[in-house]
């Protein structure tokens, strides 16, 4: 039985991904920020799929301390991880910060996943031919080519900063694939398409609901959006492929100049940023 971690598994595309994998008989670990929402989703998945090999781990990707604690918990509880799907994401329409002081979309979408992935490598290395699947986005194109900054960026444009966080995730896939090239672990990123989820809708105020309602008919369903992530997690067709970017199950070229050099530079800078924030 494959053990598969899905971040942000209690709602939207993460839930659809976890559900598809549970139906295929996988041992699914749901990585969720909220105990209440996570437990409700865990129970619903067990009931709908008949698969009771569904575990819950609570972790906040917006807190490096929480990421470290949750990763340590997983290393205690589980023998191995066959697949890690870095799926969770946030969109904010005004500038907000994580507990560690990162711009929130960069902090949650990228920094939290970077650190979680790094800390779970020992469990991934215990599996035969493990996979890391990173849910990025074509929104990386919202960032001008000449703009190669990722931290402490002046100004704030919601979709540009969202795109910046997703560009960072694509470069993260490139960097991890390079770091792990002599192992049995593959790393690939993907664009799920425009998916109808509540991403960007405020739970507190409901802000964004009207826009979400209007646009929903034009979007993919969460299950449709999850298709490529599930494919990369399970298909034998991609077992030996690493360092690629997929759209609709197809390898797709990226429009990122000097991608490898940017990935290497971001890797070094991220390590420095994390160390600096932890020491504050």
């Amino acid at each position: 039985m494959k053990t598969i971690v899905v971040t942000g598994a209690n709602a939207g595309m993460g839930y659809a991904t976890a559900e598809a994998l549970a139906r295929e008989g996988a041992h699914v670990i749901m990585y969720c920020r909220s105990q209440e929402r996570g437990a409700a989703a865990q129970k619903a998945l067990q009931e709908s799929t008949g698969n009771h090999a569904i575990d819950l781990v609570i972790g906040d990707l917006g807190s490096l301390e929480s990421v470290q604690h949750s990763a340590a918990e997983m290393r205690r509880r589980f023998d191995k991880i066959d697949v890690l799907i870095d799926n969770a994401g946030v969109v904010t329409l005004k500038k907000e910060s994580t507990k560690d002081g990162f711009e929130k979309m960069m902090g949650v979408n990228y920094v939290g996943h970077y650190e979680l992935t790094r800390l779970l490598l020992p469990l991934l290395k215990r599996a035969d031919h493990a996979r890391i699947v990173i849910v990025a986005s074509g929104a990386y194109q919202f960032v001008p080519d000449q703009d190669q900054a990722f931290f402490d960026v002046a100004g704030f444009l919601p979709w540009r900063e969202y795109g910046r966080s997703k560009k960072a995730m694509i470069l993260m896939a490139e960097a991890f694939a390079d770091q792990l090239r002599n192992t049995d672990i593959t790393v690939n990123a993907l664009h799920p398409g425009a998916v109808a989820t509540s991403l960007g809708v405020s739970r507190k105020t409901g802000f964004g609901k009207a826009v979400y309602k209007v646009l929903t008919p034009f979007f993919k369903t969460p299950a449709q959006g999850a298709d490529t992530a599930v494919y990369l997690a399970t298909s034998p067709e991609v077992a030996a492929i690493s360092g690629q970017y997929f759209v609709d199950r197809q390898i797709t070229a990226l429009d990122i100049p000097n991608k490898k050099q940017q990935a290497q530079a971001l890797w070094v800078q991220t390590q420095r940023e994390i160390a600096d924030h932890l020491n504050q």
Side-chain angles (χ1 to χ4, degrees):
M1 179 182 288
K2 298 288 187 182
T3 297
I4 304 178
V5 177
V6 182
T7 68
N10 61 280
M13 203 172 73
Y15 184 89
T17 300
E19 182 175 35
L21 295 168
R23 290 191 186 282
E24 292 188 15
H27 168 210
V28 177
I29 301 171
M30 305 175 71
Y31 187 94
C32 305
R33 182 169 62 89
S34 164
Q35 173 69 46
E36 181 182 1
R37 291 192 294 273
Q42 177 189 26
K43 182 179 178 181
L45 271 187
Q46 289 172 335
E47 291 176 351
S48 67
T49 65
N51 182 346
H52 290 274
I54 300 175
D55 282 299
L56 176 65
V57 172
I58 302 302
D60 180 358
L61 291 165
S63 163
L64 290 169
E65 181 181 22
S66 178
V67 169
Q68 291 175 340
H69 286 167
S70 58
E73 176 189 344
M74 283 191 271
R75 292 196 300 268
R76 289 194 302 270
R77 289 176 60 185
F78 308 114
D79 295 330
K80 66 179 175 65
I81 292 173
D82 295 282
V83 183
L84 169 61
I85 303 179
D86 288 333
N87 162 83
V90 297
V91 173
T92 64
L93 300 180
K94 63 179 181 178
K95 190 167 184 177
E96 300 178 35
S97 298
T98 67
K99 294 177 181 178
D100 302 294
F102 293 104
E103 186 279 315
K104 191 168 185 177
M105 288 183 280
M106 180 62 66
V108 173
N109 299 351
Y110 168 64
V111 176
H113 276 126
Y114 170 93
E115 186 70 350
L116 181 67
T117 302
R118 186 184 71 80
L119 293 171
L120 293 181
L121 285 177
L123 289 180
L124 287 156
K125 288 177 179 178
R126 290 182 194 168
D128 293 328
H129 305 290
R131 306 181 189 193
I132 299 170
V133 178
I134 297 174
V135 181
S137 171
Y140 78 89
Q141 295 171 309
F142 295 157
V143 185
D145 289 346
Q146 66 274 20
D147 183 351
Q148 298 184 10
F150 291 96
F151 300 100
D152 301 320
V153 177
F156 180 81
L157 296 173
W159 293 109
R160 185 191 65 186
E161 306 320 322
Y162 177 73
R164 194 186 307 278
S165 73
K166 290 300 183 176
K167 179 181 176 182
M169 294 184 79
I170 290 170
L171 296 177
M172 167 180 154
E174 174 84 17
F176 269 108
D178 186 57
Q179 293 281 334
L180 298 169
R181 63 187 178 277
N182 295 321
T183 72
D184 289 330
I185 303 174
T186 62
V187 189
N188 291 292
L190 68 105
H191 169 51
V195 182
T197 73
S198 57
L199 195 70
V201 177
S202 171
R203 286 195 178 94
K204 293 181 179 178
T205 67
F207 184 77
K209 279 186 177 179
V211 175
Y212 168 74
K213 186 175 181 180
V214 170
L215 294 178
T216 293
F218 302 99
F219 290 167
K220 289 182 177 181
T221 65
Q224 290 168 335
D227 178 73
T228 299
V230 174
Y231 171 75
L232 289 175
T234 61
S235 174
E237 295 176 2
V238 292
I241 296 175
S242 190
Q244 298 296 330
Y245 176 73
F246 284 76
V247 180
D248 293 332
R249 298 191 176 193
Q250 301 298 314
I251 295 174
T252 303
L254 282 158
D255 184 20
I256 300 179
N258 304 312
K259 178 163 65 75
K260 186 172 288 293
Q261 291 86 342
Q262 284 199 60
Q264 291 170 346
L266 179 59
W267 179 278
V268 173
Q269 187 180 10
T270 302
Q271 290 181 319
R272 184 169 60 246
E273 290 284 340
I274 288 174
D276 288 347
H277 282 77
L278 287 175
N279 291 329
Q280 285 179 359

